[in-house]
Amino acid sequence: DGGITQSPKYLFRKEGQNVTLSCEQNLNHDAMYWYRQDPGQGLRLIYYSQIVNDFQKGDIAEGYSVSREKKESFPLTVTSAQKNPTAFYLCASSIGPGSYEQYFGPGTRLTVT
Amino acid sequence: KNEVEQSPQNLTAQEGEFITINCSYSVGISALHWLQQHPGGGIFSLFMPSSGKKKHGRLIATINIQEKHSSLHITASHPRDSAVYICAFLNAGGTSYGKLTFGQGTILTVHP
């Protein structure tokens, strides 16, 4: 089955620790995205990657970092510099240039205490 | 002012009722998405209406490009329709392809 996987579904960390959220897709999509969702707010774009070895900051990139070494993988690191890291994180992908239909993963709920 | 406004924010209905969720946007768009988010968090694409009306089962999406407005209708609503419904759009002329702007979502609860 083709799709996007995110693991784990729930993640707990202590304040001051970096944490990496995984996102893998087997859809052969070129573009991948990371979003953050907070209660009562729309999804906000953290980072996106249009192609392997390339990525751009989204609207709220501060305190986050990404890498895109493989087409199928786009891990997100939440660093200790992120002031309010507790949120629901969603990864998505799309075919590539000219395609705006995005396919979403199941999400990871990160709680930092 | 937000570029996209959804209404209502919360909607409660009885099973069988006709549901309407509205989405208004203030910029030119090249594409609009209706998405459904299940209680567990997963998000699924429902519609990408380009113009007029599009129907899929009990769901109907309409879009009026001139009025910058889209609606999602659910006929004969059922408790399994309970979810968050999100509209999202792609800015016209944007340089970042696939970069969507999302509404805050409408929480729909359908009671038996």
Side-chain angles (χ1 to χ4, degrees):
Chain A
D1 285 327
I4 301 175
T5 57
Q6 291 184 245
S7 60
K9 189 164 179 63
Y10 299 95
L11 191 53
F12 299 89
R13 280 293 183 271
K14 294 289 187 187
E15 194 174 323
Q17 292 179 337
N18 292 354
V19 59
T20 297
L21 282 58
S22 79
C23 176
E24 304 278 330
Q25 54 99 358
N26 61 3
L27 300 167
N28 201 32
H29 285 174
D30 281 321
M32 298 185 74
Y33 312 82
W34 272 107
Y35 295 97
R36 171 184 171 133
Q37 187 178 38
D38 294 284
Q41 294 192 42
L43 275 71
R44 293 182 290 169
L45 182 66
I46 305 172
Y47 267 98
Y48 65 100
S49 168
Q50 299 183 8
I51 201 164
V52 175
N53 293 321
D54 181 67
F55 50 83
Q56 283 84 40
K57 292 181 180 179
D59 301 318
I60 54 165
E62 186 175 347
Y64 299 98
S65 66
V66 294
S67 63
R68 187 84 187 278
E69 296 176 2
K70 297 187 295 183
K71 186 176 186 177
E72 58 271 21
S73 179
F74 190 39
L76 173 75
T77 297
V78 184
T79 75
S80 56
Q82 168 48 233
K83 295 287 182 268
N84 296 296
T86 295
F88 188 58
Y89 291 88
L90 284 150
C91 177
S93 70
S94 64
I95 289 174
S99 171
Y100 55 84
E101 182 174 17
Q102 294 186 15
Y103 297 78
F104 289 83
T108 293
R109 190 166 299 279
L110 173 65
T111 302
V112 176
T113 57
Chain B
K1 186 182 185 299
N2 291 333
E3 290 183 321
V4 58
E5 295 281 350
Q6 274 188 246
S7 63
Q9 291 190 8
N10 287 279
L11 183 55
T12 301
Q14 289 298 126
E15 185 173 353
E17 286 184 3
F18 182 83
I19 304 289
T20 295
I21 299 171
N22 297 298
C23 176
S24 296
Y25 49 93
S26 57
V27 298
I29 68 169
S30 56
L32 186 135
H33 245 217
W34 277 104
L35 305 160
Q36 181 189 55
Q37 184 170 27
H38 292 179
I43 292 180
F44 301 88
S45 178
L46 294 173
F47 282 109
M48 288 179 291
S50 53
S51 64
K53 181 162 69 174
K54 202 166 183 177
K55 189 172 187 291
H56 182 68
R58 295 181 295 106
L59 274 65
I60 303 166
T62 62
I63 185 167
N64 186 316
I65 303 293
Q66 288 73 29
E67 294 186 4
K68 294 186 168 60
H69 182 269
S70 178
S71 292
L72 178 69
H73 306 284
I74 304 174
T75 62
S77 60
H78 191 275
R80 64 174 175 265
D81 296 326
S82 298
V84 179
Y85 292 85
I86 302 168
C87 73
F89 65 82
L90 183 68
N91 285 44
T95 57
S96 302
Y97 74 86
K99 185 176 179 296
L100 297 170
T101 299
F102 294 82
Q104 78 274 29
T106 294
I107 303 171
L108 172 64
T109 305
V110 181
H111 293 294

